[in-house]
């Protein structure tokens, strides 16, 4: 069974000890198996203490980041690219130290709106660098999962198929796809078909609605998505991602253009999402069994 996770920004964008503790307690209380922390700064966090708390609560943990413009590993500027490698290596160490096995997010290039088309040189530099970083990650027991995001948040990888080509070019067996239903809904010809096409390279999935609010209240066809995940036998982690102007991270809220408050009560939102995903997966499984049943009278 897939573990069902939740993005920490549903609870809080703060790295203060008390807020992190509350985030873990809320995650558990809402019935999730895993917490995904974004942009946790190890310099400001008691990593050992947090790891113990995560283990005590029997939660899984994943870390996601988006590389900043001054830490873009695809850059021709060597200092900028080197800063990107440093950030990735710090993130690998943090993930390992918290007891996690996955890094997700925008790792191949910087996160944010670009106004120029990417070049093949950028692609090659990024793939070559990530191949090396993936070895460091492997030694730490951590996989790299490249989040495929829409055109307004990155210019390099916008479809799952582009991600597959990129992974092939890295030559690494420790790099996978991090798919996100919100982004796929914008860029893919067919979300279900794209999931089937990428099947064995999917390492992590974000479940988000078209407006990033309550699941089922936007225009994403989640039945088709749960059917596709069931058809490929996906048993890995799925995390609910939602943002509202209620909880603001100065950096991420702007890059992801969170201007409206789509919810105010995060516990209500989280409980609903947990149930929605669990029922969605269970229903897809029941449908798959029904269509395969060879009933004879
Ligand atoms: Mn996402």
């Amino acid at each position: 069974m897939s573990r069902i996770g939740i993005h920490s920004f549903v609870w809080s964008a703060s790295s203060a000890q008390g807020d992190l503790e509350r985030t873990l307690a809320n995650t558990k209380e809402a019935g999730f198996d895993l917490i995904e922390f974004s942009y946790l700064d190890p310099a400001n966090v008691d990593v050992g203490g947090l790891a113990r708390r995560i283990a005590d609560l029997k939660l899984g943990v994943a870390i996601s980041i988006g590389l900043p413009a001054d830490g873009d590993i695809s850059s021709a500027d060597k200092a900028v690219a080197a800063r990107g490698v440093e950030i990735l290596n710090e993130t690998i160490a943090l993930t390992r130290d918290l007891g996690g096995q996955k890094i997700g997010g925008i790792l191949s290039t910087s996160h944010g709106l670009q106004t120029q088309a990417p070049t093949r040189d950028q692609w090659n530099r990024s793939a070559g660098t990530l191949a090396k970083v993936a070895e460091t990650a492997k030694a730490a027991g951590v996989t790299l999962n490249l989040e495929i995001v829409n055109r307004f948040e990155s210019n390099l990888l916008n479809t799952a198929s582009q991600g597959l080509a990129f992974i092939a070019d890295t030559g690494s067996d420790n790099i996978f796809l991090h798919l996100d239903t919100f982004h796929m809904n914008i860029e893919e010809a067919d979300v279900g078909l794209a999931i089937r096409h990428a099947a064995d390279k999917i390492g992590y999935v974000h479940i988000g609605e078209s407006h990033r609010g309550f699941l089922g209240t936007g225009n994403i066809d989640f039945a088709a998505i749960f059917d596709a995940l069931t058809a490929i036998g996906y048993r890995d982690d799925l995390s609910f991602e939602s943002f509202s102007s209620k909880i603001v991270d100065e950096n991420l809220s702007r890059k992801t253009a969170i201007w409206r408050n789509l919810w105010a009560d995060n516990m209500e939102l989280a409980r609903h999402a947990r149930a929605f995903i669990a029922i969605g997966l269970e229903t897809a499984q029941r449908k798959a069994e029904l269509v395969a049943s060879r009933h004879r009278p």
Side-chain angles (χ1 to χ4, degrees), residues 147 149 178-180 183 206 212 241 243:
E147 186 165 18
V149 298
H178 167 181
L179 299 183
D180 180 317
H183 298 290
H206 270 167
R212 292 190 177 276
E241 183 175 47
F243 302 110

Side-chain angles (χ1 to χ4, degrees), residues 134-147:
E135 288 308 300
T136 308
K138 198 183 210 175
V142 170
T143 60
L144 302 183
N145 300 273
L146 311 181
E147 186 165 18

Side-chain angles (χ1 to χ4, degrees), residues 134-233:
E135 288 308 300
T136 308
K138 198 183 210 175
V142 170
T143 60
L144 302 183
N145 300 273
L146 311 181
E147 186 165 18
I148 307 301
V149 298
N150 75 77
R151 66 190 67 194
F152 303 111
E153 296 185 40
S154 173
N155 59 3
L156 201 65
L157 302 177
N158 299 137
T159 68
S161 196
Q162 281 184 294
L164 292 175
F166 184 87
I167 290 171
D169 288 356
T170 67
S172 171
D173 62 0
N174 197 42
I175 305 180
F176 300 89
L177 297 175
H178 167 181
L179 299 183
D180 180 317
T181 58
F182 165 83
H183 298 290
M184 296 183 88
N185 182 56
I186 296 171
E187 300 292 352
E188 299 289 354
D190 183 293
V191 178
L193 284 180
I195 288 171
R196 284 171 163 85
H197 182 69
D200 60 336
K201 285 291 176 188
I202 305 175
Y204 194 56
V205 176
H206 270 167
I207 300 290
E209 188 47 279
S210 54
H211 47 45
R212 292 190 177 276
F214 271 79
L215 296 178
T217 68
N219 61 42
I220 292 186
D221 182 358
F222 281 108
I225 287 165
F226 292 130
D227 282 343
L229 290 169
T230 299
I232 65 167

Side-chain angles (χ1 to χ4, degrees), residues 210-277:
S210 54
H211 47 45
R212 292 190 177 276
F214 271 79
L215 296 178
T217 68
N219 61 42
I220 292 186
D221 182 358
F222 281 108
I225 287 165
F226 292 130
D227 282 343
L229 290 169
T230 299
I232 65 167
Y234 186 77
R235 298 276 181 276
D236 218 324
D237 302 334
L238 300 162
S239 289
F240 171 55
E241 183 175 47
S242 178
F243 302 110
S244 171
S245 57
K246 160 110 171 143
I247 290 175
V248 176
D249 174 71
E250 283 304 319
N251 177 30
L252 195 63
S253 293
R254 285 174 192 187
K255 283 180 181 170
T256 52
I258 307 305
W259 315 129
R260 288 190 291 148
N261 61 331
L262 285 144
W263 42 262
D265 185 331
N266 49 12
M267 184 55 81
E268 239 172 48
L269 173 89
R271 285 188 193 281
H272 173 269
R274 172 71 180 73
F276 185 96
I277 295 169

